[in-house]
Amino acid sequence: MTDHIQTDTADGVLRLTLARPDKKNALTLAMYQAMAEALDAAETDPAVRAVVLHGEGGSFTAGNDLFDFLNDPPKDASSPVFQFLRAVTGFGKPLLAAVAGPAVGIGTTVLLHCDLAYAAPSAKFRLPFVNLGLVPEAASSLLLPQAVGPKNAAELLLFGDAFSAEEAERMGLINAVVAESELLDFTLVRAQALAAQPPAALRLTKALLRAPQADAVTATIQEEGRHFVERLASPEAQEAFQAFLEKRAPDFSRFS
Ligand code: COA
């Protein structure tokens, strides 16, 4: 159990709140587990007709908790990280995201599994997998090139530089940029509008939109996951994580 994930259902919409603002909502194993459980419960709860994912305190999420990666890295498919990915990729009802502030790693790749995503001008997206000695996850090596085009995907994944809400909108990663003061309400209103749609038609339409990719997404998550788990133990990743802990720039010059 964790207090760092909060759930609240009103007007047919489950609000899933990442609530660890002092750590920029970095995701611990307990948070992944709680999100997986909340999505699984929402799937069968008739009171939930759409879900909004957002973060508290001006951040979406700083991605995976790097201390967890060091102390308790995911080893196999039973890890909460993979449970969350299974829950999010298999989720049958509309999933919306409201992004403000940092959206790092899974904070960006999860948007590829959201049906709609809105972001405030403060949003700062980043995919620093290579920078951390890792590889892409959440099927982003498959879905990102499709979403933003192969050249944009290569730029975002190989350099791992931060990019803005405006750039994310231009590339098609999000639907729209919305003023931060209105972002959550705007997203909730969009979710409520979906909650008022005929639910079976909505679910079928979502399933049809996802079906051509479903098997490839599952296979890619497994393939990426295999490399990711190995990479976590690599000297490159250890240097990157140590540098983060020591608040210094990493030095990869000794690696070939
Ligand atoms: N894992 C663990 N702790 C994290 C974290 C993460 N991914 N991201 C931020 N934190 C912690 C910081 O260590 C800091 O803790 P402290 O106050 O005890 O020192 C706190 O959250 C605030 O972060 P800080 O770096 O001071 O905030 P910032 O506004 O200067 O920068 C980020 C925000 C998100 C740009 C920066 O924290 C960052 O780059 N984090 C790492 C992101 C990352 O690599 N994620 C993994 C992706 S796979």
Side-chain angles (χ1 to χ4, degrees), residues 20-24 26-27 61-67 69 102 104-106 126 128-129 132 134 137 228 244 247:
R20 198 187 175 211
D22 56 322
K23 299 292 181 190
K24 309 284 175 187
L27 296 173
T61 171
N64 205 105
D65 187 289
L66 291 173
F67 298 90
F69 266 166
V104 187
I106 188 88
R126 202 178 158 217
F129 302 116
L132 291 168
L134 302 173
E137 38 79 303
F228 199 97
F244 179 77
K247 298 187 189 288

Side-chain angles (χ1 to χ4, degrees), residues 23-246:
K23 299 292 181 190
K24 309 284 175 187
N25 301 326
L27 296 173
T28 60
L29 295 175
M31 290 167 76
Y32 279 115
Q33 180 86 46
M35 287 194 293
E37 286 168 9
L39 286 175
D40 286 346
E43 188 76 61
T44 53
D45 182 351
V48 176
R49 293 165 77 123
V51 174
V52 168
L53 182 63
H54 77 115
E56 201 177 273
S59 300
F60 187 55
T61 171
N64 205 105
D65 187 289
L66 291 173
F67 298 90
D68 269 12
F69 266 166
L70 274 175
N71 300 328
D72 200 359
K75 292 180 187 70
D76 54 42
S78 69
S79 155
V81 178
F82 293 113
Q83 285 179 35
F84 169 68
L85 290 178
R86 269 196 300 278
V88 85
T89 53
F91 192 60
K93 298 177 183 180
L95 181 59
L96 296 82
V99 181
V104 187
I106 188 88
T108 294
T109 58
V110 75
L111 303 181
L112 299 165
H113 303 283
C114 291
D115 303 292
L116 299 164
Y118 303 100
S122 67
K124 220 171 174 186
F125 302 89
R126 202 178 158 217
L127 296 162
F129 302 116
V130 168
N131 314 63
L132 291 168
L134 302 173
V135 293
E137 38 79 303
S140 55
S141 58
L142 172 75
L143 297 176
L144 191 68
Q146 293 176 359
V148 304
K151 291 288 183 291
N152 283 327
E155 192 145 46
L156 301 181
L157 285 169
L158 299 183
F159 290 106
D161 290 336
F163 57 103
S164 68
E166 201 180 297
E167 288 169 289
E169 184 187 25
R170 178 181 57 75
M171 289 187 281
L173 186 65
I174 60 168
N175 292 84
V177 182
V178 179
E180 187 150 356
S181 57
E182 293 162 24
L183 177 69
L184 182 57
D185 283 348
F186 177 89
T187 311
L188 288 170
V189 167
R190 296 298 281 159
Q192 285 156 11
L194 291 178
Q197 293 278 59
L202 200 59
R203 274 200 307 276
L204 274 169
T205 301
K206 170 165 177 163
L208 286 165
L209 284 167
R210 301 266 158 180
Q213 293 284 66
D215 289 346
V217 165
T218 305
T220 306
I221 288 174
Q222 280 171 5
E223 177 69 359
E224 290 171 345
R226 201 169 55 75
H227 291 295
F228 199 97
V229 168
E230 283 172 12
R231 289 261 90 212
L232 277 171
S234 69
E236 290 178 1
Q238 298 296 314
E239 164 59 13
F241 293 165
Q242 208 54 45
F244 179 77
L245 300 187
E246 293 168 12

